[in-house]
Amino acid sequence: MSDALWYLGRGTGVVSLVLLTLVVALGVATRSGRPLPGLPRFAVTAVHRSASLLAGVFLAIHVGTLLFDPYAGLNLVSLVVPFSAGAHPFWYGLGALGLDLILALVVTSVLRDRIGPRVWRGIHWAAYASWPIALAHGLGSGSDASTGWMLTITGVCVATVLAAVGWRVSERFAEVPDLAPVPVTAPPLVGTGPPEGPR
Amino acid sequence: MTTLHLDWTRCRGRGGCVELLPELIGRDEWGYPLTATDVPVPRALRGAAEQAVRDCPRMALQLSPRFAE
Amino acid sequence: MTATLDPPVRTSPLLDATRPPLRPVPLRGAAVIAEVAAAGLTGRGGAGFPMARKLAAVNAAVTVTGRTPVVVGNGSEGEPASSKDRVLLTTAPHLVLDGLAVAADAVGADRAHLVVTPAAVAAVRAAVAQRSDRVPVDVVAAGEHFVSGEETAVVAGLEGRRAVPGDKFRRVVESGVHGRPTLVQNVETLAHLGLIARSGAAWFRSRGTAAEPGTALVTISGAVARPGVFEVDHGAPLRDVVGLAGPRGETPVLVGGFHGAWLAPHEVAGAAFCRASLGTFGASPGAGVLIVLPAGASGLAETARITAYLAGQSAGQCGPCVNGLPRLAAELGRVAAGHGSRPDDRAELYRLAGLTEGRGACHHPDGTVRLVGSALRVFGARS
């Protein structure tokens, strides 16, 4: 039974990494405002959201199984408080940190209407921090990290996110460019300006 | 009649609403939705309008029961 | 419109610096709304909205929300060709404060803000210090954008945000400063209220026309011998109004400021200074700005420069404004430079105007389109 938990925990961790990679890439695509091949603009947003929620489900299973798995030696506190685990405090700590960030991203997105776009957008920048943390956690804690298949998956994920971020910072990223300020000029025809007092 | 309200200060022309409501919203040459600030939504387009409100990445759309002014 | 034969200016009750503060406030609550409605007082900030309806809307919002309202006197005057609010505030600040006190009592406000051009802050603060109004008045310097005087921009400034216009899904009368029902009135409107509280609606109606009673402050500049601020009757012949400043020749006049409309000399001769008459030329009194075009100047070129100025004054928030206004200015500049003889150029201007109008949080694009349209109408035949 505990073997099943262990394998489930490992498997869902791998799937979570793949889904989070997809979420980051689709998030970047959403920000670009461009459609993807086969996906109109609104669908890019919709798939980004669906993939995020799915990643959340897999993360919940990942965390839940390891909580009850004696091999992992984790408790509720060490799952959410970074670097508090008895064994492998650093690598498990990264997992807890990533979980906290992703939890914040999901909760603020669900409550987007309540908190408004400014706060939501500010917190959403944390997505760029959460992904490398999750990746490092997987490399450090993952029992399969050094296997060929896992190295391949990791490589594809890293390449995907690097490509997405490279696109994000490129010159012609957004379909509609940010609003640039219009040069300020002096008002004409008022040079004869009215005097201080009433007439 | 339900009215779709567009907050121009939030809109950055992401274009999702144009795809969801082509009957009501076009796109100008700069990428911004070609529509008035308040647009009456026919009953048949109510669902699409609700999706446009939910999916706008800039939260620039709102539905209100008020008449367009 | 009733053209009056009287000289347009008799006295200037608004700019009387000697009048003492009004104490105690003689009109309160519903009596104020009734008197203002009887007087037919409309907003003097440009839009001309009936004040009685605004007061009633704030009171209705107070009933619905149960929140205490706020009153705001708006002397931001972002329009560079206008100085009537500054002149009023520095000449007769107590009259504005009287109006603010009456308005605060009418809606039951517990806070009053007076937003004024930086140049008037000291004078107005000094006047406030001489008074003992029930509702404390806080004097604030206005933002310096052309659009900073817009109602939602004023509210934003009072909340400590950048004083630029905001979205109007919720009206300011319902949800203004910190979400409270808010009455924003131009300072000249408040000064008129201060006079109505003293002298009554019938006195107010003794000037102006039946449909547009009362007087208005105008700022006249451009090619005139005596630029300045004058108090004139609504319905006075426009030529007489402009004549107060001594225009140098019979040239086109920009009526209503940079968001206004040009009138050709023969139109100036036939028009009266009121909505009804100016409306037939696509113009309105606005905030009373009148600019006389210098003889020999190109109306199209000047309008192109004004349009470029207005483009630079965009708050930079709305796509059609940020993209459209510079294009309008450039195309109009081309037409002014003599490249406008092809019908295509004209068509492009109208197309851009159509793309810009009605697509923004405030009326900055609409006002700019109105100006450009009037320039094509009045000066278009020459090119």
Side-chain angles (χ1 to χ4, degrees), chain B residues 54-68:
Chain B
R54 210 172 44 241
D55 281 0
C56 175
R58 298 280 309 182
M59 300 174 69
L61 294 169
Q62 272 173 288
L63 280 172
S64 91
R66 263 207 339 233
F67 279 99

Side-chain angles (χ1 to χ4, degrees), chain A residues 17 20 23-24 59 94-95 97-105 123-137:
Chain A
L17 177 67
L20 289 175
V23 169
V24 168
L59 268 181
L94 286 180
L97 188 60
L99 180 69
D100 291 345
L101 288 176
I102 290 165
L103 220 54
L105 287 164
I123 291 172
H124 228 67
W125 282 103
Y128 288 113
S130 68
W131 187 85
I133 289 172
L135 177 80
H137 159 73

Side-chain angles (χ1 to χ4, degrees), chain B residues 5-9 12 28-30 32-35 37 62-64 66, chain C residues 167-169 171 317-320 323-324 327 351-352 355 358-361:
Chain B
H5 175 84
L6 170 56
D7 180 344
W8 292 99
T9 67
R12 288 296 177 271
D28 70 17
E29 63 205 67
W30 307 299
Y32 287 84
L34 196 47
T35 172
T37 305
Q62 272 173 288
L63 280 172
S64 91
R66 263 207 339 233
Chain C
D167 184 58
K168 288 160 192 64
F169 186 71
R171 293 186 301 155
Q317 303 183 103
C318 307
N323 288 296
R327 285 289 311 280
R351 192 186 70 84
L352 285 169
L355 271 187
R359 297 176 66 219

